[in-house]
Amino acid sequence: MYAVVRIGPMSAPEPPPSSPGLSLSGFSSPEPAGQDATALDLQWMRHALALAARAEREHDEIPVGAVLVDAEGRVVGEGWNRNIGDHDPSAHAEIVAMRAGGRTLGNHRLVGCTLYVTLEPCAMCAMAAIHARLARVVYAAADPKTGAAGSVFDLIADPRHNHRVAVTGGVLADEGGTMLTNYFRRKRGKPPL
């Protein structure tokens, strides 16, 4: 588990992890607010968290939200998990947001864009980020079971790819992890944390 995962050019070396592990919510909480998080990262992650809450509240979907922002700071795509309601195993929040971004930009390449997502991308979403040529992926909670941006796999950092995507993890991790945990606790008839 990484405290903060950064792939690509860095201005300073990574600080060592400070006792990484699982939070009370069951999802990893690398750092309280993402050690390298900027004010914009926090703003857009809050937007992604609002989308995740909407997924649960309005559609009873697993609460994962994603927002895709271009290099000028404009939202070009957003989404939340839709795989249950759409009967589509590929309709993860990241894929929904990147599809919307492709339609907005009129291109399958999302060069210069940053994807903010409330849960670390799985293998499918991590590879889609590489194929879309994203500049960055910023996630909230690490996924200790299927995370593919450093937790279980590190597909994004694989040196065999012809494109590099910078990754920052742990931005508002506690909020993202708690939202997911409480969703599954509710499904099992347990009280929220």
Side-chain angles (χ1 to χ4, degrees):
M1 213 56 65
Y2 296 101
V4 175
V5 182
R6 303 242 352 158
I7 310 303
M10 289 185 256
S11 57
E14 282 304 309
S18 58
S19 66
L22 295 180
S23 70
L24 292 177
S25 69
F27 291 87
S28 294
S29 178
E31 291 293 327
Q35 189 166 339
D36 290 344
T38 67
L40 281 176
D41 289 343
L42 294 170
Q43 170 192 325
W44 291 121
M45 189 59 71
R46 286 186 188 99
H47 184 86
L49 286 164
L51 294 169
R54 182 176 174 191
E56 180 177 7
R57 181 179 63 252
E58 296 179 16
H59 305 283
D60 198 27
E61 291 277 356
I62 297 169
V64 178
V67 60
L68 185 68
V69 179
D70 71 9
E72 287 75 42
R74 296 178 300 237
V75 174
V76 294
E78 60 183 30
W80 52 82
N81 273 9
R82 300 179 54 95
N83 43 324
I84 296 169
D86 287 358
H87 311 290
D88 179 356
S90 70
H92 289 192
E94 301 96 311
I95 301 296
V96 172
M98 285 189 279
R99 285 177 179 159
R103 285 190 299 272
T104 299
L105 297 174
N107 197 332
H108 68 290
R109 300 286 191 221
L110 305 171
V111 177
C113 291
T114 298
L115 180 69
Y116 294 90
V117 61
T118 59
L119 180 64
E120 179 182 4
C122 68
M124 173 182 68
C125 296
M127 290 308 300
I130 290 167
H131 290 300
R133 305 295 193 261
L134 295 183
R136 294 177 69 214
V137 170
V138 180
Y139 68 86
D143 186 341
K145 293 185 179 181
T146 63
S151 291
V152 178
F153 312 103
D154 204 351
L155 294 178
I156 293 179
D158 191 308
R160 293 171 288 189
H161 299 306
N162 62 350
H163 178 71
R164 301 289 174 258
V165 178
V167 176
T168 302
V171 178
L172 301 178
D174 288 339
E175 290 90 331
T178 299
M179 186 182 299
L180 283 159
T181 296
N182 284 337
Y183 171 85
F184 290 111
R185 289 181 66 84
R186 182 175 59 80
K187 290 290 186 185
R188 293 176 179 94
K190 295 180 178 180
L193 294 179

